[in-house]
Amino acid sequence: MTADETGPSRALRPSARRGAGSRSSRVDAVNESDTPGATWDPGRYLREILRAPVYEAAEHTPLQTMEALSARLGCTVQVKREDLQAVHSFKIRGAYTAMRALSEAERARGVVTASAGNHAQGVARSARLLGMRALIVMPTVTPQIKVQAVAALGGEVALHGVNFDAAKAEALRLAQAEGLTYIAPFDDPRVIAGQGTIGLELIQQDADLDRVFVPVGGGGLASGIAVLIKQLMPEIKVIGVEHEESACLGAALLAGEPITLRQVGLFAEGVAVRRIGDETFRLCQSMLDDVITVSSDETSAAVRDLFEDLRAISEPSGAIALAGLKRYAAEHGLAGERLGCVLSGANLNFHQLRYISERSEIGEQREAIFGVTIPEAQGAFLRFASVLGERAVTEFNYRLSASRAPGDPARIFVGVRIARGRQERAEIVADLEQAGYGVVDLTEDELAKVHVRSMIGGRASVGVAERLFSFLFPESPGALARFLDILGSRWNITLFHYRTDGTDYGRILCGFAATEQDTDLTEHMDRLGYVYHEETSDPAARFFLAR
């Protein structure tokens, strides 16, 4: 969804941002005090970014071109590789800059922060480099891999509360009780200045950039980059990208002030912030040219693009800037421009890769999923596959219903590879309806994608003798139709599951209404020429599928 559709972009029009007597004039009037809650004017930010000591702890990361994606979009797409930092995210820049500025007395007492992810590691590593104590309060639900990462960097971990808000409250209490300095994850001028060094590197590495896309969580990264670029090269557009389930900046822009979201989604947990900071909102409101939101599917597709083009494995929040770049380029018809984005982090929970892989095809508009009603009759599968023609089928789920009454139709779940997005989805629906099938497009149905596709099944119907077989067959367009054609329609299919995983061979689990005495079935399979195994006695099949 573009910002024009949701509202924020209208609040960010240049005419709204640069009007006489508006926000910009108020920003210029702010003093240079370092007292808590103070704000800096743009000139102060520029000076502090230019002299930020980040390279005592951080790397000057490369700006890499995504050749394949650039060819697809008709624009030069470049990625700022902040995943290559020692802590695998940009957070080390802001954390170190803030902690390096502490007095000797403050360093002696130590620091405390609240974080469940990248900021925690940035503070822990900075403390190790500066010889300080760092206490990190993390929610009790934080994955153990992140707790161990912080501990490995020398941070003291205290688990408290079930969410970030509870952890932050405890961190602030400990700061007061033990005299520790609280290091904010984003809403602090020195943290913002540290992140702003990325903007300086970007324009040093490519002064011809037309637009820069930046992820927005609490707003520290977006603020720092925008305040730097808008002073040195204001013609470069800076666009914030939020995940649609944690769009706290968009909500604040609509309200005219920071507000607290009731809840946020955790898929892109690195940007899952309920309330943008006061200072970061002030800067984002006045400096950003646009704000857009992206979905989990679009983010998953961006993770895949980064891997395929650069062999970089990004965490979801690290890829949302690229997801926003792709959406913006498509919706605004960009051509021939130089586009930059920040790959902000790579602290990925490995088990997320399965979900990301599953959703990336839909996010790239390369897969559509449908629920289809077909007659419960022998040969019905083959006729259905013939309607799809040479389209590549990515998934096919069916189970003979134990509660089906005579004459009831069968309901199948099918995925199809597409190349032309919504238009092709509509064409498939039209083809199926013309052939007499009931069909519903489930491509944008979250319940279908997360749960229903994995729940189609159940035990064999009462009175049905069933044999199960697994097959391995070469993948190619139309392969499923050919498989069903060779199989014929002699035996009623009671179960069918197929899901492509991108390899050269497809895997199918198929049930037939047949007994062990039906030797013609296996003789027919021998003639197919595909690798197969009977699975009727498999423990999992007997436990979940057999009557």
Side-chain angles (χ1 to χ4, degrees):
M1 183 176 299
T2 65
D4 281 337
E5 294 172 320
T6 57
S9 68
R10 301 193 179 278
L12 291 166
R13 286 178 179 170
S15 59
R17 293 191 297 106
R18 307 300 183 197
S22 65
R23 288 183 293 271
S24 59
S25 61
R26 292 198 301 271
V27 169
D28 292 336
V30 205
N31 63 41
E32 293 195 0
S33 171
D34 281 332
T35 57
T39 55
W40 294 353
D41 63 44
R44 174 78 185 276
Y45 270 111
L46 179 58
R47 291 191 294 277
E48 296 297 337
I49 291 171
L50 292 175
R51 64 189 186 193
V54 296
Y55 303 110
E56 296 173 6
E59 300 293 328
H60 190 295
T61 55
L63 184 66
Q64 297 182 340
T65 301
M66 297 182 68
E67 300 290 352
L69 184 59
S70 296
R72 275 165 47 201
L73 297 185
C75 293
T76 300
V77 178
Q78 299 186 93
V79 178
K80 184 67 171 162
R81 294 290 305 276
E82 283 300 292
D83 59 308
L84 298 178
Q85 296 291 356
V87 294
H88 306 295
S89 89
F90 72 95
K91 287 287 190 177
I92 185 67
R93 295 176 184 261
Y96 188 83
T97 300
M99 293 166 66
R100 178 75 158 67
L102 297 177
S103 68
E104 289 299 325
E106 289 171 323
R107 290 193 197 185
R109 289 193 295 269
V111 299
V112 63
T113 194
S115 171
N118 295 338
H119 178 64
Q121 295 181 55
V123 170
R125 176 169 169 78
S126 298
R128 170 177 282 183
L129 293 173
L130 293 168
M132 300 165 56
R133 177 195 179 198
L135 177 58
I136 317 292
V137 184
M138 309 181 82
T140 56
V141 295
T142 302
Q144 193 62 26
I145 187 173
K146 294 187 175 182
V147 175
Q148 292 170 350
V150 172
L153 289 167
E156 300 176 30
V157 177
L159 299 178
H160 181 88
V162 296
N163 54 41
F164 172 77
D165 291 334
K168 179 181 178 181
E170 175 66 5
L172 292 173
R173 187 193 69 79
L174 289 169
Q176 184 71 23
E178 300 185 24
L180 305 173
T181 299
Y182 179 74
I183 304 299
F186 47 82
D187 202 24
D188 178 285
R190 294 208 179 274
V191 171
I192 294 168
Q195 322 301 27
T197 57
I198 297 175
L200 182 60
E201 291 176 21
L202 277 168
I203 61 176
Q204 289 172 333
Q205 290 166 315
D206 188 349
D208 294 319
L209 285 168
D210 293 293
R211 303 173 201 267
V212 172
F213 295 80
V214 189
V216 179
L221 178 61
S223 296
I225 290 177
V227 75
L228 182 285
I229 288 179
K230 285 304 174 184
Q231 290 182 88
L232 298 184
M233 301 190 73
E235 68 276 12
I236 298 176
K237 304 297 184 185
V238 183
I239 299 164
V241 184
E242 296 188 283
H243 191 275
E244 62 185 8
E245 295 179 351
S246 55
C248 61
L249 173 56
L253 289 168
L254 288 173
E257 61 183 359
I259 63 172
T260 302
L261 301 179
R262 187 183 310 174
Q263 60 185 25
V264 295
L266 296 179
F267 170 68
E269 64 174 340
V271 293
V273 176
R274 295 176 63 205
R275 186 183 190 279
I276 195 165
D278 293 329
E279 174 68 348
T280 55
F281 173 68
R282 181 179 73 87
L283 292 171
C284 286
Q285 185 183 41
S286 63
M287 298 288 177
L288 291 181
D289 293 285
D290 209 342
V291 177
I292 60 174
T293 61
V294 294
S295 68
S296 293
D297 290 349
E298 290 169 317
T299 303
S300 296
V303 172
R304 178 172 176 166
D305 288 323
L306 288 163
F307 175 76
E308 292 182 345
D309 237 326
L310 302 177
R311 293 299 184 267
I313 301 178
S314 170
E315 63 185 283
S317 61
I320 69 167
L322 179 61
L325 180 155
K326 290 169 59 184
R327 162 167 268 201
Y328 196 94
E331 293 185 344
H332 292 263
L334 302 186
E337 291 197 8
R338 301 186 69 82
L339 309 177
C341 67
V342 180
L343 196 177
S344 58
N347 288 304
L348 176 73
N349 181 340
F350 180 78
H351 297 291
Q352 273 191 298
L353 283 173
R354 176 170 52 189
Y355 175 92
I356 290 169
S357 176
E358 183 105 337
R359 301 295 286 266
S360 65
E361 289 291 291
I362 293 175
E364 197 57 67
Q365 294 288 308
R366 292 190 288 206
E367 182 185 33
I369 57 175
F370 305 94
V372 184
T373 303
I374 68 174
E376 184 70 86
Q378 291 179 203
F381 274 7
L382 177 57
R383 178 174 178 271
F384 169 76
S386 68
V387 175
L388 292 177
E390 289 297 305
R391 292 186 176 100
V393 175
T394 58
E395 182 168 10
F396 201 104
N397 278 326
Y398 163 76
R399 180 56 158 149
L400 180 67
S401 174
S403 60
R404 180 181 63 86
D408 281 356
R411 295 178 182 272
I412 62 173
F413 185 100
V414 61
V416 181
R417 183 93 62 209
I418 59 174
R420 292 178 287 108
R422 295 178 183 274
Q423 179 183 346
E424 188 169 359
R425 283 162 49 189
E427 292 172 1
I428 293 172
V429 170
D431 289 346
L432 292 173
E433 289 179 339
Q434 186 175 359
Y437 297 114
V439 56
V440 56
D441 187 345
L442 300 174
T443 308
E444 298 179 10
D445 187 302
E446 192 71 8
L447 189 67
K449 291 183 287 188
V450 174
H451 297 292
V452 172
R453 75 190 319 166
S454 301
M455 297 175 69
I456 296 171
R459 298 186 181 278
S461 300
V462 175
V464 174
E466 183 179 57
R467 296 176 70 180
L468 295 181
F469 294 84
S470 61
F471 294 88
L472 193 67
F473 69 100
E475 278 278 23
S476 63
L480 181 62
R482 286 192 290 274
F483 173 86
L484 292 169
D485 186 37
I486 295 172
L487 194 65
S489 56
R490 176 175 171 182
W491 293 274
N492 188 37
I493 294 176
T494 58
L495 176 151
F496 201 93
H497 179 261
Y498 162 70
R499 173 66 179 170
T500 182
D501 58 6
T503 59
D504 293 335
Y505 284 84
R507 297 174 182 272
I508 285 176
L509 180 66
C510 191
F512 300 92
T515 66
E516 292 182 6
Q517 288 70 42
D518 194 347
T519 57
D520 286 352
L521 178 59
T522 52
E523 290 174 1
H524 186 77
M525 291 179 184
D526 290 335
R527 293 195 296 272
L528 290 176
Y530 295 149
V531 176
Y532 77 91
H533 298 282
E534 183 160 7
E535 310 287 5
T536 308
S537 298
D538 179 88
R542 294 186 63 82
F543 189 87
F544 289 107
L545 303 174
R547 173 57 55 189

